[in-house]
Amino acid sequence: VNVDQIAPSKLPKFKEVSKFPEVKRDLAFFVDNVVQAGELLTAAEAVAGDQLTNLKLFDVYHSKDVENKGKSIALGLTFQDVSRTLTDEEINVSIGEIVAALEKNLDANLRN
């Protein structure tokens, strides 16, 4: 085995497991076909704050009748704090910031 060809691996970092409940929310956006799902993920993660513990893409829907925007992209968000239970108000503020950033930066429109 040529050891030089093996990429160094990163060891996982220890992270305290929270005993407080997590909050899951799903958001779906209409976007132009040129917008990549990764752009939505990056923009959402940039403004969501430290309490966002998981962000995933779970659906991309292409159709000509998707409000003339091209496609729908759905994101799953998980919020949690290690020291306390989050309130709905705190989560709604984070969600509002994410929606505003995606609308402003990527011309994304929140689906109802």
Side-chain angles (χ1 to χ4, degrees):
V1 174
N2 188 349
V3 178
D4 295 333
Q5 298 298 317
I6 299 174
S9 63
K10 294 182 182 180
L11 293 176
K13 293 183 181 181
F14 170 77
K15 184 177 176 182
E16 184 178 349
V17 177
S18 178
K19 58 185 170 187
F20 297 96
E22 62 185 20
V23 177
K24 295 185 179 188
R25 300 279 175 91
D26 295 336
L27 299 174
F29 296 91
F30 291 118
V31 294
D32 291 324
N33 278 323
V34 296
V35 176
Q36 299 295 314
E39 293 176 277
L40 266 76
L41 293 169
T42 301
E45 196 168 35
V47 298
D50 293 337
Q51 295 166 335
L52 179 69
T53 58
N54 189 19
L55 175 63
K56 64 180 180 178
L57 168 72
F58 71 87
D59 186 43
V60 178
Y61 178 73
H62 295 272
S63 176
K64 291 181 181 180
D65 63 345
V66 180
E67 296 206 5
N68 300 322
K69 294 291 279 179
K71 63 184 169 184
S72 170
I73 296 179
L75 308 176
L77 301 99
T78 304
F79 296 89
Q80 188 175 36
D81 194 283
V82 295
S83 63
R84 62 189 175 80
T85 299
L86 297 173
T87 65
D88 283 338
E89 291 173 1
E90 292 172 307
I91 300 302
N92 291 339
V93 167
S94 292
I95 295 292
E97 290 173 0
I98 291 168
V99 170
L102 297 181
E103 286 176 348
K104 179 182 177 186
N105 299 330
L106 299 170
D107 195 28
N109 295 310
L110 185 64
R111 287 182 54 191
N112 293 327

